[in-house]
Structures are given as structure tokens and as C-alpha cells.
Amino acid sequence: MASASHRRSLRGRRTLVVSAAVVAAGVGAGVLVMNANAGTTTVDLYHQTLAAKDGWASSGSGTTGGAKADSAHTFTVSTRAQLVKALGSVSDTTPRIIRVKGTIDANTDDSGKKRTCANYASGTGYSLSSYLKAYDPATYGRSKLASGTQEKARATAQKKQAANIVFKVPANTSIVGVPGTKAGITGGMLQIQKVDNVIVRNLTFSATQDCFPQWDPTDGDKGNWNSQYDSVTLRGATHVWADHNTFTDAPGFDTADPTYYGRQYQIHDGELDITKGSDLVTVERNQFTSHDKTMLIGSSDTDSTGKLRVSIHHNVWKGIVQRAPLSRIGQIHIYNNFYDVTALNGYDLLYSINSRAKAQVVAQNNFWKTSASQKVSKLLSGDGTGSVAGSGNLVNGTATDLVAAYNAASSKKIKTTVNWTPTLTAGLETSAKNLPTELATTTGAGVLTNS
């Protein structure tokens, strides 16, 4: 592996599943509708807001997304062009609800025609063969960043792709998948940047790929290929609730990537990154699967002090190599998650949680499933300045002190005390023992329903 770079079926039954998930997660502040025929309570997913005390995103003004949208700002979209139109200008803070029906392919033009990497490269002068020749370490060396004609061409091609696949989300927006339609975005990125109050729910994000990775010979001991585009990226965003989504590299896994200069040609970046002073974020009941660098909290060791406050609960992490999450600086509460770290689709564990740059992590009542060959000491990672407090964590059903196991095997010790106490803990379960079963049916896209 390349060295790590730190840069139920029936309608009534489904209603009961959703109700159980809502209660467990502390969700209930949205619009509730009584189903007179069934005698049960159903949830209006599109207007639903984050419940009180449900993680950091409930702090202060809370997170309501587009709940106050009028009919003129309520959209149903099925194509890339429709999504772009519904999002409108990122400076327009009018509340809006965007219902995604079916799977939107970001790599299409306004008429719906498929766009390829070759389309983005056309007219830029970039070609992979020329790029590889220009920056071969045997001739270019390893001491300086790639620069010159081909690097400029690569950057231009990358900008053309970004213009097509990056969707900029305004403040006061709810983007919600329509139940029963396999709602999601493939090949694209939601960019939530310097805006407040956004909800993202019930969507599958797949195959977010960079056509033009950049070679950095100075990254690590042997250099690395670095890509752009997270499936969802938060940059300076506040009050964001990501709920019941699925994130995956499928159908293109890393095992299919070629190798150049002895390093994997990495076309995937993050699944859900929270950086550049983002704050007050709740990430709950999602599935993160088949991915390498999954969730980054803090873009560097000098990201914003006093921010990066994130709650991560009741998620499934399966086939994740690292960054689940990698945390810097902030106050991060990680509770009631299920980590299945056995190998999947060629993705082998490096670590789950990394606490560095003085991060203050509380990891509480989580469950890890490991294989016989995997060491408990590899579940955590750090740089010697971060903290991980907490209790009730289970490994294969057995109570385990994760920090003690890590510290016994590492010279860069993780601290065991933090400077804060979590209070926004709606839905916190005092035992992790049932999480593998419970979260199998209550997480990810496709679980929620309006009926």
C-alpha cells in the first residue's frame, strides 16, 4: 500500500423502520403527517429539520435547511442540468428544497450527453503519456513540484472537469433523495462552501473520480498521485446535517487503478470532508464503504482553532482504509458507529480514527469487527498531540481500551483526556453490542420513506 498522505420490504414495515431510526437518532423536529389508513406516523423528509441536541449541528440556531421553502423554491430534479438550475446562485440564501429523483450523472452536458475524460482534456494540450514523460522521476527528479507546460495543461483540463461536476450548494438548502427511486449523484461533488444551514439526505454518492490526478514527487518518501473532488465537501460551512446517505467508490475500485512511477494512480479523494474552518456538523446514519481516504476533519494542522466541531454517530464504515475520520484541532464526538474493518473489494485497513494536531476526540460506544489477523493497535492513529477519550468501545464484542492498545505499540502516544464534555447527544446508546444488527437496516440511502 502507498504510504498514507495526510494532506423491510412491506410498506407498513418500512414505516416502522423509519420511525425506529427517527427515535433512535433523536430526530423529530420535522413535519409529521398522520397516515389515517395505517394509523402510523410518517415523516415528510423534505421539510424535516434536525432535532434538538442531535449533535453539534443542533447547536445555536440549529439546522433547518430549506424547511421554509415556498413552492417556487421547491424542485424535483432528475438530470444534471435540472440540478444546476435548482441550486441557482450560491449567493441566493432563499430557502430551497431539492428533491433528487433517480441517479444524476454529473459527467453529462446540458443536453444529457455523456462527457468523458477525453472531452475535458480536448483543447488543453494535456495527454497522460506526455505528462508521464515530462515528470518521470528518473529525469525530472523528486525534489520539486511538477511545473511547466504539461502541468499547466493538466490543471486546465481539471478545471474543465470541475466546471461540469462540482455543484455549489447555497445556504438554507435541503437536498433529499426521493424514496424508491435509487436517488443519488454519480461522478459528482456537492460543494458546501462558506454557507450556513444545509441538509443532505437519502442520496447515494458513487464513482466520484478525478480524470487528471496530479503527481507530487515531494509527497511522502516516494511521491504520490493526488486527486480532487470529494463526494461531499464542506469548506468553511456551518450547521450541516448529513443523514442516511451512502458513499462508495463503486463500480470503480482502487484495485483497478494503474501504477505510474511506482505509485498508485489515485483517482479518488474523500467521501465526506469537513475542512477550512467548517463548524457545527452532524453526520449520522450514513454508510461509508469501499474507499481509502474517507473523512478529513481539518485541512491542515493549522486549520481554524475553535471550530471543526463535529458529531459522527450511528454510521456504518465498511471496507474503509483510513480517515474514519482523521481529526485535527476540533472537538469531535464519535459514538454508536459500526466499523467493519475486514478487507472488502481490495480495501485493507490502515487505521480507523486518527487524532492529530491537538484534536479533542471522544469515541464512545462504538463496535469494531476485525479479522483474526488485524491488530487492535491499528484501529487508532495519531501524531502524538491528539487526544481520544471515551469508553464502551467493543472489538468483536469485547470491551477494549483502544488507546491503551495503540499506545503500547507506538512511540507517538495518544492522550486520554479532552478539554470538553459532549452534551448534544440525542440518541446515544449506552451499549454498542447491538450496533452491527441495528445499523444494517437503519443506515444509508434507500431506508427512509415518506409512506
Side-chain angles (χ1 to χ4, degrees):
M1 178 184 298
S3 61
S5 172
H6 291 300
R7 309 216 295 145
R8 259 152 106 175
S9 308
L10 299 177
R11 179 185 239 179
R13 189 177 180 189
R14 289 186 56 145
T15 300
L16 291 174
V17 168
V18 173
S19 299
V22 167
V23 171
V27 176
V31 178
L32 300 181
V33 181
M34 291 302 298
N35 183 331
N37 294 327
T40 59
T41 301
T42 58
V43 181
D44 179 347
L45 302 181
Y46 312 114
H47 292 86
Q48 192 174 4
T49 62
L50 182 63
K53 296 188 177 182
D54 190 351
W56 275 116
S58 67
S59 182
S61 58
T63 302
T64 59
K68 294 182 179 180
D70 57 22
S71 58
H73 293 88
T74 300
F75 310 89
T76 299
V77 302
S78 298
T79 68
R80 173 192 164 277
Q82 290 171 350
L83 175 58
V84 170
K85 184 177 180 180
L87 287 168
S89 170
V90 73
S91 63
D92 183 354
T93 62
T94 307
R96 70 193 61 220
I97 292 172
I98 302 175
R99 300 180 292 209
V100 177
K101 186 176 182 180
T103 301
I104 293 175
D105 187 348
N107 287 294
T108 52
D109 64 18
D110 289 345
S111 68
K113 184 178 179 180
K114 183 69 178 177
R115 304 208 73 189
T116 66
C117 295
N119 294 135
Y120 301 131
S122 179
T124 67
Y126 171 86
S127 75
L128 179 57
S129 60
S130 296
Y131 191 90
L132 292 173
K133 182 178 180 180
Y135 305 110
D136 187 338
T139 54
Y140 186 80
R142 297 182 179 272
S143 62
K144 58 181 179 178
L145 297 175
S147 64
T149 302
Q150 271 300 301
E151 173 54 26
K152 289 179 180 179
R154 184 206 63 80
T156 299
Q158 191 175 67
K159 287 179 181 178
K160 287 181 65 176
Q161 183 182 11
N164 207 82
I165 73 168
V166 175
F167 304 105
K168 298 179 180 180
V169 182
N172 306 316
T173 296
S174 294
I175 306 177
V176 186
V178 176
T181 69
K182 297 183 179 180
I185 299 173
T186 185
M189 177 174 89
L190 289 185
Q191 179 176 294
I192 307 170
Q193 180 169 326
K194 295 181 180 180
V195 297
D196 180 67
N197 194 27
V198 173
I199 294 173
V200 180
R201 308 184 75 194
N202 201 40
L203 294 168
T204 293
F205 296 92
S206 61
T208 305
Q209 300 176 358
D210 187 347
C211 288
F212 312 102
Q214 181 183 31
W215 171 245
D216 183 352
T218 70
D219 183 359
D221 297 334
K222 298 181 179 179
N224 273 304
W225 292 96
N226 293 311
S227 60
Q228 299 290 320
Y229 318 124
D230 311 316
S231 294
V232 178
T233 189
L234 279 58
R235 302 172 183 173
T238 53
H239 291 107
V240 179
W241 179 30
D243 169 64
H244 278 94
N245 302 293
T246 295
F247 298 83
T248 179
D249 285 354
F253 302 126
D254 282 357
T255 51
D257 292 347
T259 297
Y260 300 120
Y261 308 153
R263 309 301 282 166
Q264 178 190 348
Y265 190 67
Q266 178 58 266
I267 61 175
H268 301 111
D269 195 12
E271 289 193 321
L272 172 55
D273 280 6
I274 304 164
T275 64
K276 298 188 182 298
S278 292
D279 198 22
L280 305 177
V281 179
T282 296
V283 180
E284 66 174 293
R285 296 193 178 272
N286 302 280
Q287 290 200 6
F288 299 94
T289 181
S290 300
H291 193 79
D292 186 356
K293 301 172 183 177
T294 303
M295 181 184 293
L296 183 64
I297 300 176
S299 53
S300 73
D301 289 357
T302 57
D303 207 316
S304 304
T305 301
K307 298 184 179 182
L308 299 170
R309 291 173 290 180
V310 182
S311 298
I312 302 168
H313 71 84
H314 292 91
N315 301 283
V316 171
W317 311 76
K318 189 171 184 178
I320 298 302
V321 178
Q322 58 181 314
R323 300 187 183 181
L326 185 156
S327 302
R328 292 181 168 111
I329 300 169
Q331 297 174 336
I332 297 95
H333 194 195
I334 304 171
Y335 66 93
N336 295 152
N337 295 274
F338 173 46
Y339 293 86
D340 183 346
V341 298
T342 57
L344 178 68
N345 295 322
Y347 295 89
D348 296 311
L349 176 72
L350 184 60
Y351 65 81
S352 293
I353 299 171
N354 185 315
S355 181
R356 60 190 297 107
K358 300 181 180 181
Q360 303 289 297
V361 176
V362 177
Q364 191 173 13
N365 303 337
N366 301 286
F367 191 112
W368 272 264
K369 177 184 176 182
T370 68
S371 66
S373 62
Q374 291 171 322
K375 298 179 180 180
V376 176
S377 61
K378 295 294 187 180
L379 300 181
L380 301 184
S381 184
D383 66 349
T385 71
S387 300
V388 177
S391 61
N393 296 299
L394 307 181
V395 177
N396 297 326
T398 300
T400 303
D401 187 333
L402 303 177
V403 176
Y406 170 82
N407 284 346
S410 176
S411 61
K412 296 181 179 180
K413 309 299 184 185
I414 293 176
K415 303 179 189 302
T416 58
T417 58
V418 296
N419 61 9
W420 71 294
T421 301
T423 58
L424 304 172
T425 58
L428 173 62
E429 300 177 54
T430 57
S431 173
K433 67 178 182 179
N434 294 325
L435 292 175
T437 300
E438 173 202 335
L439 298 185
T441 56
T442 58
T443 57
V447 173
L448 297 176
T449 177
N450 270 323
S451 59

